[in-house]
Amino acid sequence: MANLLFSVALSIALLAVVISFFRLLIGPSAADRTVALDGMTIISISVITAAAFFLGRVIYIDVALVYALISFLGVIAIARFIERGL
Amino acid sequence: MELQSVLPVLGGLISIVGALFLLLAAVGIIRMPDVYNRMQTGTKATTLGSILFLLGIGIAEPSWLGKIVLLILFIVFTNPISSHVLARAAHFRGIPLAEGSVRDCLADDEAGEQGVCE
């Protein structure tokens, strides 16, 4: 029962990643693409944590934490690049 | 029914609600008219959706709750910062607001006007 519920939640989150990906493809400006990338990475953190639940390994939550850290730094760097160049 | 069998089902239901918020955020990123509106849905809705999703997993596996709370705190602290930096970059790059927007308080501030924004 619980596994079924978490499978449904994981499917919805993966669908959200796919939908955000279209904005990454068609976004008119670089800021649009960065917003879509930011959304995708934040949704992916939930997906990684769900994978940790299904595989039963707590170490994958650390992977999600490092992923969150790197995506945050990446978005900050891209925004700085958009604002005033390298 | 003892607690041991109820907790995973409760966590699963909370996770589904969180996943629906994540889906709403993705639909908002596609449907909204300009960068600033997309940023608004893409940040607020994903923050709430991530909190609910991770909390559901933490309820289903109570021994993981410490790390999950750490992850939630990290998302809550960093998500507004990245959104703010992106909005600032988009504004100073000169990306226009969508049709039908009524105020741009940052532009008023730069022009030195004392308007409704004060």
Side-chain angles (χ1 to χ4, degrees):
Chain A
M1 182 66 187
N3 264 343
L4 177 69
L5 290 177
F6 278 109
S7 303
V8 172
L10 180 60
S11 314
I12 296 173
L14 282 174
L15 182 65
V17 173
V18 171
I19 291 175
S20 311
F21 185 71
F22 282 109
R23 178 55 71 187
L24 184 66
L25 286 181
I26 64 176
S29 70
D32 290 292
R33 294 176 207 268
T34 315
V35 169
L37 186 71
D38 192 26
M40 276 171 67
T41 50
I42 293 167
I43 298 169
S44 301
I45 293 166
S46 298
V47 171
I48 292 172
T49 316
F53 175 79
F54 279 118
L55 297 175
R57 297 195 173 198
V58 71
I59 194 74
Y60 289 158
I61 294 182
D62 295 356
V63 176
L65 196 58
V66 174
Y67 192 69
L69 190 67
I70 292 176
S71 84
F72 170 64
L73 286 179
V75 168
I76 295 285
I78 294 172
R80 205 176 163 79
F81 171 67
I82 291 173
E83 189 173 340
R84 65 186 82 164
L86 279 176
Chain B
M1 264 163 71
E2 68 269 28
L3 198 63
Q4 208 67 345
S5 63
V6 174
L7 277 185
V9 176
L10 183 66
L13 289 177
I14 293 177
S15 282
I16 286 180
V17 175
L20 286 176
F21 271 104
L22 293 178
L23 185 67
L24 271 182
V27 172
I29 286 176
I30 284 289
R31 292 281 300 156
M32 282 288 176
D34 69 347
V35 185
Y36 309 100
N37 288 320
R38 278 173 211 144
M39 209 168 293
Q40 183 252 341
T41 63
T43 305
K44 285 180 191 169
T46 51
T47 306
L48 181 59
S50 298
I51 290 173
L52 288 177
F53 198 106
L54 297 176
L55 205 62
I57 291 177
I59 287 173
E61 292 264 356
S63 60
W64 294 6
L65 208 53
K67 280 188 175 178
I68 298 265
V69 167
L70 195 67
L71 197 51
I72 287 175
L73 279 181
F74 187 81
I75 289 176
V76 166
F77 280 124
T78 59
N79 225 348
I81 299 175
S82 61
S83 163
H84 167 82
V85 172
L86 262 177
R88 196 183 144 82
H91 181 273
F92 285 116
R93 191 61 188 260
I95 295 173
L97 272 66
E99 294 282 320
S101 306
V102 286
R103 282 212 77 81
D104 188 350
C105 285
L106 185 52
D108 284 358
D109 255 6
E110 286 170 347
E113 294 174 12
Q114 304 278 320
V116 193
C117 301
E118 290 299 317

